[in-house]
């Protein structure tokens, strides 16, 4: 059994939302994601993922200048 609470090193670009199992609904603030690159399933809060995407977008815009 893999650890759903640890992130893979692939980054957020490869994460896709998946349907949660019944037991995962006991943690309503977490969503299930699967990495398309390595196939690892992970639980993250949507707020955490959105913040990481904003940070990534800000960093890439800053580097383009």
């Amino acid at each position: 059994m893999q650890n759903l609470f640890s992130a893979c090193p692939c980054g957020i670009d490869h994460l896709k939302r998946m349907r949660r199992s019944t037991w995962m609904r006991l943690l309503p603030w977490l969503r299930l994601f699967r990495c398309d690159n390595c196939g690892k399933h992970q639980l993250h809060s949507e707020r955490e993922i959105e913040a990481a995407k904003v940070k990534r977008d800000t960093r890439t815009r800053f580097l383009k200048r």
Side-chain angles (χ1 to χ4, degrees), residues 12-41:
I12 60 170
D13 296 326
H14 304 284
L15 294 180
K16 303 291 184 221
R17 280 278 307 268
M18 302 292 295
R19 182 170 242 157
R20 294 180 292 177
S21 301
T22 306
W23 74 265
M24 293 176 192
R25 294 171 195 248
L26 295 172
L27 307 169
W29 59 92
L30 296 177
R31 302 290 180 257
L32 181 65
F33 293 89
R34 181 182 180 276
C35 178
D36 282 342
N37 195 31
C38 68
K40 184 180 184 319
H41 288 85

